Amino acid sequence: MLALHASPRPPTAPTRIGLAIAGGGPVGAMYELGALRALDEACDGLDLTRLDGYVGVSSGAFFAAGLANRIGTAELCRMLLDDPGAELRLRPDTFLRPALGEYARRLRRLPDTGARLLADLWQGRGDSRWSDLVTRLGALVPTGLFDNRPIEAYLRRVFTRHGRSNDFRTLDRPLYVVGVDLDSGQTVQFGGPGWDDIPISQAVQASAALPGLYPPVELRGRHIVDGALRRTMHASLLLERGVDLLIGINPLVPFNPGDDAEASARGHRFSDRRIADGGLPGVLSQTMRTMLQSRMQVGLARYAQQYPGIDQLVLEPNPDDRELFYTNFFSFSARRRILQLGYRNTLADLRRRRDALAPVLARHGIRLRADVIADRPRSIVAHLPAAPRRTETTARLARALDDLEHRLARPARMV
């Protein structure tokens, strides 16, 4: 599903392009990467590793940071698919390691909590005994099921190799990773003033700390959690900095089962299931999706009024997609299937909206490749280029040569 807001007035050349990527857990991340790969293949003149600004929230922060570090979509695909040719393979246990340290910290509170509870009962606070019990015992519940420190360690390895940087201040392009201060509810803009000295790997770890699943990340004495608590994409960080084209990706939309008589619905393994039939997880998932998308739609409508001279292109899944909704939130076995789904859906959106989209993209120097978007059975894996074999030295040399080629070609594109 593609949403397009075309500015009534053309931008001045050369144009500035920004990318905003929302969060969505591991499954949403796979969908986002499929969409990014489709854009990369289908759009001539769009270099996703050389945009004029990036903002990432939660799982989207990993891709924003990777692209800002000049890691292309092909390499990102290899990393998340655990491909043997990947530079650093991302394994499922990186995300799903139990937070044993957090469990132990909570258990150490048991004696003190029990003593306080007994004191309350001894003092005869009859009216508040049950509420005190719930409050006291609540302090023993871990703040997260899984440990997010392995995620930070993995990202640190990725961003300190091959000439990349784990420092916001040394990147070629502006990068913003968004988190929320749990105690105050205020937005924390990593990469912005006052927060640009935090390592990128820690910023992504904090931005992806979804409450209940991962514990808050303590930075400077503040507990930081998932940036989606305040906004879905935080695209205003780019709009306020004068981009001419905003590309946004949001992988979470409310599911609309539609008519179960349709052939596609009947053939699905959950064809007989309504949302409530999935129990509490299904209800919570639909609630979260509805809130996130509704909030984003309100923001985009406001942005169109506040920034009328900026073209906006936002990619989302189709609301009737059962496969995406019913895939387990933390399923890594489904990653290739969801990656392909995001890839083909995006190509289909570009194909359906080509007449309206092509002239908007053209004024930013981007041309849709007819051969790619017309290839309906196209496979993301089949079209991944072979992984280059590079040492640290050759990777740095290739990066320097790429920089030189880009600088030499820039005047020609600006004429």
Side-chain angles (χ1 to χ4, degrees), residues 328-369:
N328 185 284
F329 188 74
F330 280 100
S331 173
F332 273 82
S333 62
R335 51 188 158 181
R336 182 168 297 201
R337 187 171 70 249
I338 300 302
L339 195 68
Q340 177 73 4
L341 182 64
Y343 179 75
R344 285 192 178 172
N345 279 1
T346 301
L347 291 179
D349 284 339
L350 297 177
R351 185 168 57 247
R352 281 193 297 266
R353 301 292 301 277
R354 179 180 180 179
D355 291 342
L357 189 58
V360 176
L361 294 178
R363 59 192 189 187
H364 300 282
I366 303 170
R367 181 182 66 85
L368 290 174
R369 291 184 54 189

Side-chain angles (χ1 to χ4, degrees), residues 255 257 270 272-287 322 325-326:
F255 173 55
F270 290 124
D272 60 343
R273 176 176 290 189
R274 313 303 288 182
I275 291 174
D277 294 337
L280 182 60
V283 173
L284 291 178
S285 176
Q286 181 75 336
T287 301
R322 290 176 181 270
F325 183 79
Y326 284 116

